[in-house]
Amino acid sequence: MCIENNINNVLSSLPKGVTLVAVSKTKPNSDLLQAYHAGQKVFGENKVQELVQKSEDLPKDIIWHMIGHLQTNKVKFIAPFVSLIHGVDSIKLLKEINKRALQNNRVIDCLLQIHIATESNKFGFDLSEVNEVINNTNEFLNIKIIGLMGMATFTDNKDQVIQEFNSLKVLFETIKNKDITTLSMGMSGDYKLAIEQGSTMVRVGSAIFGHRNK
Ligand SMILES: *Cc1c(COP(=O)(O)O)cnc(C)c1O
């Protein structure tokens, strides 16, 4: 298991213009440092407490993304430093991020999480709600919605995964502008399919750091 080789393998398979978020949840600081020394600067975590702790312990030039479901009452802990929040799934959450960003004198980039999977347990807005959400948050000056994020169904059915990613890509194309530039889709098992469907940001964990203990 060599994290440096894994990073380089993933990076060499990414077309220009696709950003790698190294998903380091549950992994020790020593693993993140191996990736960091291989040149990786963008890391994604899905638990607030772990994200805060790692951001305190690790080099200050790391770019931290919150990729998991975010509870409103925890926004304040990451607002001082988080650089992108992927899983924004309610107006209430956007409002809270805006408030905490303002308190920190920052503008925080956000992705709207869109529900594309047939699985009912995934969070997110419906495809049809996106324009309304964007219009309803125009007055939130301390957030910037820079794109969309989605997770496909966990299945071996490739056609289904392709179709789900494609539905997000089609929506993304309709709202793309100078601010809305980022389409976050694809994980270890499906990032190549996601890139074929137009992903600009992949969130890869186990293919870099190995399997996680549940
Ligand atoms: C854990 C996680 C990933 C990475 O998953 P892998 O299959 O290990 O690559 C990506 N996105 C989100 C939202 C996650 O929670």
Side-chain angles (χ1 to χ4, degrees):
M1 181 74 211
C2 175
I3 290 170
E4 181 173 357
N5 287 348
N6 293 344
I7 284 271
N8 289 328
N9 284 340
V10 174
L11 282 175
S12 65
S13 71
L14 301 184
K16 210 166 151 256
V18 176
T19 302
L20 172 63
V21 180
V23 176
S24 47
K25 60 192 188 194
T26 79
K27 296 296 175 181
N29 289 345
S30 55
D31 284 11
L32 280 78
L33 280 172
Q34 283 185 53
Y36 176 82
H37 290 303
Q40 180 64 23
K41 291 291 175 310
V42 183
F43 290 83
E45 292 283 336
N46 73 337
K47 294 261 175 6
V48 165
Q49 202 186 344
E50 189 176 349
L51 175 54
V52 169
Q53 189 63 52
K54 284 175 172 168
S55 76
E56 286 171 5
D57 294 345
L58 289 162
K60 295 303 164 208
D61 61 339
I62 288 181
I63 296 163
W64 293 104
H65 290 191
M66 175 68 196
I67 61 166
H69 181 63
L70 178 57
Q71 287 174 287
T72 319
N73 61 359
K74 300 212 169 140
V75 173
K76 58 178 178 284
F77 301 114
I78 61 172
F81 68 90
V82 71
S83 88
L84 178 60
I85 300 176
H86 287 239
V88 178
D89 59 1
S90 72
I91 303 247
K92 184 173 155 233
L93 182 56
L94 282 168
K95 194 172 174 186
E96 177 68 11
I97 296 168
N98 186 61
K99 175 179 155 188
R100 298 300 180 179
L102 176 62
Q103 285 177 352
N104 285 278
N105 213 354
R106 303 184 62 210
V107 174
I108 297 179
D109 289 347
C110 296
L111 301 176
L112 300 180
Q113 182 167 357
I114 311 301
H115 185 259
I116 52 171
T118 51
E119 290 161 315
S120 56
N121 61 341
K122 296 249 159 80
F123 295 100
F125 293 105
D126 284 333
L127 293 155
S128 60
E129 292 177 293
V130 168
N131 281 301
E132 203 185 322
V133 173
I134 292 172
N135 290 334
N136 285 339
T137 52
N138 278 336
E139 78 269 27
F140 293 171
L141 300 180
N142 292 76
I143 57 162
K144 188 164 149 200
I145 295 172
I146 65 159
L148 305 176
M149 179 271 212
M151 290 168 83
T153 303
F154 188 70
T155 172
D156 289 333
N157 185 340
K158 244 175 118 173
D159 290 339
Q160 183 181 349
V161 172
I162 289 171
Q163 190 265 317
E164 290 174 2
F165 284 147
N166 184 258
S167 67
L168 192 55
K169 164 69 171 175
V170 168
L171 172 66
F172 177 66
E173 286 300 325
T174 69
I175 61 168
K176 218 168 137 182
N177 62 28
K178 72 169 182 12
D179 293 329
I180 299 179
T181 55
T182 302
L183 183 56
S184 167
M185 56 184 198
M187 322 196 338
S188 293
D190 57 18
Y191 76 90
K192 288 178 183 159
L193 291 179
I195 288 168
E196 284 167 19
Q197 297 309 313
S199 172
T200 71
M201 185 174 275
V202 293
R203 309 175 310 271
V204 179
S206 46
I208 295 170
F209 297 106
H211 287 290
R212 291 175 293 271
N213 298 319
K214 290 272 144 61

